[in-house]
Amino acid sequence: MRYHLLVGAAVAALSLPTAAFAQSTGSVDFDEGEIVITGSADSGVGGVNIPDSPKAKVEIDRELMLRQTPGQTVNDIINLVPGVSFTNNDPFGSLGGNFTIRGFSSDRISQTVDGIPLNDSGNYALYTNQQQDPETLESVNVNLGSTDVDSPTASAVGGTVNIRTRTPRDDLGVLAVASYGNIIARGNPGDRPFHRGFVMIDTGTLTSFGTKAWFSASKATNESVYSNYGGVDKQQYNGKIYQPIGSNGDFIAVSGHYNQNRNNFNGSPYSNVTINNNGGIAPEDRFYEIAYPCTTDTPQAGVADAPNGCGNEFERRFNPSNTGNIRINSRFTLSDGLVLTVDPSFQYVKANGGGLTTGREGGRTVGGRTYYGYSGNGYYFGRDLNGDGDLLDQVRVSSPSQTQTRRYGVIANLSYELDENNRVRLSYTFDRARHRQTGQSGVVLSNGEVDDVFPVNNPLLTADGVELNDRDRLSYATLHRIAGEYRGSFFDDALSIQLAGAMPFFTRDLNQYCFTTSSGGNVDCITNTANYAAYAAANPTFAAPTSRKLDYNKFLPNLGFTYRIAEPVSVFASYAKNLSVPGTDVLYGALFFDESDPQSKPAAETSDSFDAGVRYQSGIIQAQLTGWFTKYSDRLASAYDPDCDCSVTRNLGEVEKWGFDGSISARPIPELLVYVFGSVLNSEIKDNVQTSATGFAQTAGKREGGAPKHTFGARVQGSLGDLDIGFQVKRTGSRFLNDINTVTLPGYTVADIDIRYSLAGAGLERSYFQLNITNLFDESYIGSASSGLTTTSTFVNIGSPRAVVGSLVIGF
């Protein structure tokens, strides 16, 4: 019985076919063909599966995910994959973090759930604190350095992360999780509790047609990890209805997701961290207090009041988000060997980030005329903001950057099995996002709190009766992608060949409603359109409000092979060309230039990625060693300035990246699982980058900033009767803060332990108590930093301190 509970459950989860980890339903179905070489050991070992694919892939299963802290973001879980580096801003997965694969940043990595894209449709940012609850997932696949031919993305030079949700059970069941945790680190953090509750209900088979479903809800709260203000309040709802059709694998599945986060920017203290001489952080510097509670300046009639600092601390900035999606996955057999899959989806986003600023009750005079709105980096309202009866004052107002998105997509695949050894498919991908970005201002109360975390709900108006925005733009991102793929098997299934190609057609329809004042994208947003002509005349170097359409397309070949030398040993190699279209921030900055200027259309980034490696797969051991090389062209680099919330982007030209990824997992006896992984990363920027008319950044021959030189780690999991103990450790090497390699951030080592005690002896077969301790030895380190072309500042995110979480999991 115990073997079934510990190892049997793990093996069942690990023995899913390779196809379960592909991206869209069409990719899943196409990979399930018999011509895909799987050998005799298709299951994983130690919670990790290595598909026998032409591409370098690694997969984490449900069993291993549930060994981590309940509610943890999936991006932290896949930190166990070679080539992946994730630094968490808190121990509980609610504050986000920095994520790279082979040194590529998250905005160059496509992350999907059930085939639909999760990256922001504007700047391709990935919000790791808004990912789906791990209890609802089946697996996550990391595609190192390349993407599937039907990927619904315009930005994936660095690879893909494909998340699959679980299929409902045939039987009625309930899973409930109650967790409590706290920070137990050096430096006197005080009491900083974490609470989380999760419940999921499987309906079992509801109809004679086989209809089944599951529904879940969770709630998580915690105090601020580092300061005496704020925290996280997160709730999430998920569901899936599954309808099988016939007996040949056809189905329709309808899934839904909604996530609501209310959190502050704690974990990113711009001015409170002291960097040691060795580049580290003293344990006591991680925890600190800000001036809270406080009171804003008291208004006085006839006096030119100025705001005090109450409410303006970096840690008091809010970062709220409401995100949701509805997605459908479906498969239909049209005739013998001919299969159609269709995956439509809809996504909704309402989110912002930012803090307070100074609002002026007067106007700004330019060229003898007075204007209201956002002008010259100032907020001019032309009206009494604090109610003291005069227009002399400067008043604190909230000013986050608001984003609202409506996104529609569909992925369709038509595959045909020519014979038992040859298959082809055609695919079409459509993705269209309405991306509205504004910067309304809101009321700040007398205690420094904001009246509404979403100022867009009730924005402050100027004397013109128009809402003041410090940005005001609308874009439509439209992707049409057509692709074809052939898979063939030869020599008694010893050789598998993949030949594929995709042609994306991507369009950005840009509408800028403000004056663009610099190539960095800075703007002036005056509120009265009748004054536009006069303002343009007074500022002849500014680009007036405008609309522009930019098109990007590129043929992307994708090919590879797998050859089984002997039953446990195979070799593989692949080549893929990938594309990343510039995001909205870069493109809106390009509006500063006339359409005839080449700088008005920034080049898309491209990569040519080559992988080659060897695999060993048996019932006890799975191992993979991959050597890779990527030629990265037109790489864009930006330096972020937190004071102005803006960045300046430069083209680094050509960058070459290369390295090795490897892992080995073993189960020498049923009660013991061992997994060891590691990677080495090198890169070289080929040329110096021009930063001004006469200036150059000395980047030639330097490494890219922000990417660790190496990572390696291990996980060991054992069973002693009803007790399971897992220990995992990861070393992340040093990184350069910038692309000129003048500042180094030191490496760090983080270890975690998980202890699980089964309640099967008490008759609760699917229940257990679990204890998780993250950062077991309380390493004090820089998790991530705001890197850029020539950045030398010490704007950092503190690495998560040691924390403990205890969870009672009841399943039946």
Side-chain angles (χ1 to χ4, degrees):
M1 174 66 70
R2 181 59 190 152
Y3 177 87
H4 170 72
L5 289 174
L6 168 65
V7 181
V11 172
L14 299 178
S15 61
L16 293 169
T18 298
F21 308 100
Q23 188 161 277
S24 67
T25 305
S27 291
V28 169
D29 185 69
F30 198 69
D31 286 348
E32 279 181 341
E34 295 180 358
I35 66 168
V36 178
I37 297 174
T38 58
S40 62
D42 199 26
S43 62
V45 176
V48 180
N49 187 33
I50 302 173
D52 205 2
S53 158
K55 300 175 182 178
K57 295 183 179 182
V58 179
E59 302 151 355
I60 301 293
D61 73 35
R62 173 177 175 82
E63 169 65 14
L64 181 53
M65 284 191 282
L66 296 185
R67 298 280 175 173
Q68 311 303 309
T69 302
Q72 187 58 263
T73 173
V74 69
N75 295 85
D76 186 76
I77 296 170
I78 61 175
N79 204 25
L80 295 170
V81 172
V84 172
S85 179
F86 180 72
T87 55
N88 216 343
N89 290 345
D90 75 316
F92 315 117
S94 299
L95 287 178
N98 186 66
F99 177 57
T100 65
I101 296 179
R102 291 181 174 176
F104 287 99
S105 57
S106 61
D107 57 342
R108 295 168 171 92
I109 300 166
S110 171
Q111 185 154 316
T112 68
V113 59
D114 291 338
I116 75 166
L118 298 177
N119 300 73
D120 184 86
S121 63
N123 61 7
Y124 313 119
L126 184 62
Y127 302 104
T128 61
N129 62 330
Q130 299 167 19
Q131 302 302 301
Q132 195 156 321
D133 284 329
E135 293 93 341
T136 69
L137 306 180
E138 188 62 58
S139 60
V140 56
N141 158 267
V142 182
N143 200 338
L144 300 169
S146 61
T147 183
D148 294 323
V149 297
D150 62 350
S151 293
T153 177
S155 182
V157 291
T160 57
V161 176
N162 302 320
I163 303 165
R164 302 295 298 181
T165 57
R166 60 182 289 270
T167 300
R169 296 172 55 193
D170 293 331
D171 302 319
L172 176 67
V174 175
L175 177 67
V177 183
S179 302
Y180 170 80
N182 217 316
I183 307 296
I184 52 170
R186 298 172 292 164
N188 189 27
D191 185 33
R192 300 173 189 247
F194 163 78
H195 300 86
R196 181 178 183 265
F198 172 88
V199 63
M200 179 165 57
I201 299 174
D202 273 273
T203 65
T205 302
L206 296 171
T207 70
S208 60
F209 304 107
T211 310
K212 52 187 177 180
W214 60 259
F215 303 95
S216 73
S218 68
K219 172 80 169 180
T221 61
N222 63 270
E223 300 294 327
S224 170
V225 175
Y226 305 99
S227 72
N228 60 323
Y229 176 85
V232 176
D233 189 339
K234 178 179 179 179
Q235 55 184 294
Q236 187 175 126
Y237 307 90
N238 296 285
K240 188 173 193 176
I241 302 173
Y242 185 89
Q243 176 61 63
I245 303 173
S247 58
N248 56 5
D250 293 349
F251 69 94
I252 298 176
V254 181
S255 305
H257 164 82
Y258 179 76
N259 185 88
Q260 180 175 294
N261 268 42
R262 297 293 181 267
N263 57 274
N264 305 94
F265 278 14
N266 59 88
S268 304
Y270 176 63
S271 58
N272 295 78
V273 173
T274 300
I275 306 300
N276 294 336
N277 291 333
N278 64 357
I281 298 177
E284 60 272 14
D285 285 342
R286 296 177 297 176
F287 309 103
Y288 52 89
E289 294 190 356
I290 61 174
Y292 172 81
C294 59
T295 304
T296 60
D297 178 67
T298 301
Q300 302 177 66
V303 176
D305 300 309
N308 57 26
C310 180
N312 199 44
E313 297 84 359
F314 191 85
E315 293 77 9
R316 295 186 70 174
R317 300 183 179 193
F318 281 91
N319 185 208
S321 62
N322 299 340
T323 59
N325 65 64
I326 298 173
R327 54 196 190 274
I328 299 175
N329 300 99
S330 62
R331 180 188 191 274
F332 307 97
T333 301
L334 304 182
S335 65
D336 188 22
L338 185 63
V339 174
L340 173 68
T341 63
V342 183
D343 297 351
S345 63
F346 168 75
Q347 297 186 68
Y348 160 82
V349 174
K350 181 180 181 180
N352 69 43
L356 307 187
T357 192
T358 299
R360 295 168 170 80
E361 292 184 335
R364 181 178 183 229
T365 301
V366 179
R369 185 185 293 241
T370 300
Y371 299 92
Y372 308 126
Y374 178 73
S375 178
N377 294 321
Y379 297 73
Y380 298 90
F381 287 87
R383 51 171 288 227
D384 185 5
L385 294 173
N386 57 14
D388 66 357
D390 61 41
L391 298 178
L392 303 175
D393 310 322
Q394 298 182 32
V395 179
R396 195 73 70 192
V397 297
S398 66
S399 58
S401 298
Q402 180 76 43
T403 297
Q404 298 183 82
T405 304
R406 305 291 186 274
R407 189 170 189 174
Y408 303 85
V410 65
I411 305 172
N413 281 269
L414 185 66
S415 65
Y416 183 65
E417 185 174 310
L418 302 173
D419 55 41
E420 63 180 7
N421 295 315
N422 297 275
R423 305 182 79 199
V424 295
R425 69 161 162 164
L426 295 174
S427 72
Y428 169 70
T429 302
F430 171 78
D431 183 55
R432 181 172 173 84
R434 181 186 188 276
H435 195 71
R436 186 74 168 102
Q437 297 174 295
T438 54
Q440 291 89 348
S441 299
V443 172
V444 175
L445 304 175
S446 60
N447 61 357
E449 298 292 318
V450 297
D451 178 58
D452 192 326
V453 294
F454 288 112
V456 66
N457 294 340
N458 186 27
L460 286 171
L461 306 182
T462 68
D464 297 322
V466 179
E467 62 185 40
L468 185 148
N469 279 287
D470 58 13
R471 70 172 184 176
D472 190 3
R473 60 201 200 190
L474 169 67
S475 72
Y476 292 89
T478 306
L479 172 68
H480 297 276
R481 184 184 181 110
I482 56 175
E485 183 174 8
Y486 163 78
R487 299 278 183 93
S489 177
F490 307 91
F491 308 117
D492 295 326
D493 291 344
L495 175 66
S496 175
I497 293 178
Q498 174 204 19
L499 301 174
M503 189 70 187
F505 299 89
F506 186 78
T507 301
R508 283 277 188 194
D509 290 290
L510 306 172
N511 299 278
Q512 174 61 272
Y513 303 120
C514 301
F515 287 84
T516 305
T517 64
S518 74
S519 61
N522 294 329
V523 294
D524 281 3
C525 305
I526 62 173
T527 56
N528 191 335
T529 57
N531 292 329
Y532 277 13
Y535 198 77
N539 299 278
T541 62
F542 294 175
T546 188
S547 297
R548 191 173 295 177
K549 181 177 180 179
L550 298 175
D551 297 303
Y552 293 88
N553 55 77
K554 188 82 172 179
F555 177 67
L556 306 176
N558 197 315
L559 52 93
F561 74 89
T562 299
Y563 182 70
R564 189 173 63 242
I565 299 174
E567 185 59 34
V569 181
S570 63
V571 294
F572 66 94
S574 67
Y575 161 74
K577 179 175 279 292
N578 304 298
L579 176 73
S580 281
V581 175
T584 49
D585 289 338
V586 174
L587 296 181
Y588 277 115
L591 295 181
F592 181 74
F593 303 101
D594 186 81
E595 285 189 79
S596 61
D597 191 319
Q599 297 181 83
S600 68
K601 185 179 180 180
E605 298 177 341
T606 60
S607 67
D608 293 278
S609 297
F610 302 85
D611 284 358
V614 59
R615 298 188 181 104
Y616 182 93
Q617 296 173 297
S618 70
I620 297 176
I621 297 175
Q622 279 204 0
Q624 176 174 271
L625 178 63
T626 305
W628 60 274
F629 173 81
T630 298
K631 183 178 179 181
Y632 188 11
S633 301
D634 294 310
R635 179 196 184 277
L636 299 178
S638 300
Y640 176 68
D641 183 346
D643 293 324
C644 69
D645 192 27
C646 65
S647 60
V648 177
T649 303
R650 302 291 181 182
N651 190 324
L652 266 66
E654 183 177 313
V655 179
E656 290 185 352
K657 302 159 68 78
W658 65 95
F660 295 91
D661 303 322
S663 67
I664 180 170
S665 51
R667 185 170 53 239
I669 59 174
E671 294 81 10
L672 179 64
L673 302 172
V674 180
Y675 170 60
V676 179
F677 64 95
S679 63
V680 176
L681 170 65
N682 288 283
S683 64
E684 182 182 351
I685 303 170
K686 291 299 184 179
D687 300 305
N688 291 327
V689 178
Q690 188 168 4
T691 56
S692 66
T694 57
F696 288 82
Q698 300 302 304
T699 54
K702 304 297 177 61
R703 289 176 58 97
E704 290 181 295
K709 297 178 180 179
H710 61 263
T711 60
F712 56 86
R715 176 175 171 84
V716 179
Q717 181 179 314
S719 171
L720 300 171
D722 288 333
L723 183 67
D724 301 345
I725 300 177
F727 175 81
Q728 61 195 39
V729 61
K730 182 169 183 179
R731 172 67 181 178
T732 300
S734 62
R735 304 143 287 165
F736 287 114
L737 180 65
N738 52 43
D739 293 318
I740 57 176
N741 298 176
T742 59
V743 180
T744 301
L745 301 178
Y748 56 92
T749 303
V750 174
D752 306 326
I753 191 170
D754 53 272
I755 302 171
R756 179 182 291 188
Y757 184 79
S758 172
L759 300 180
L764 300 173
E765 297 289 328
R766 299 178 58 218
S767 302
Y768 53 87
F769 175 78
Q770 182 166 302
L771 183 71
N772 292 88
I773 303 177
T774 54
N775 196 359
L776 179 65
F777 304 114
D778 196 26
E779 178 95 336
S780 183
Y781 64 99
I782 297 173
S784 61
S786 181
S787 61
L789 184 63
T790 58
T791 302
T792 58
S793 65
T794 54
F795 176 69
V796 303
N797 291 312
I798 302 172
S800 294
R802 180 170 53 205
V804 59
V805 176
S807 303
L808 179 62
V809 181
I810 303 295
F812 58 86

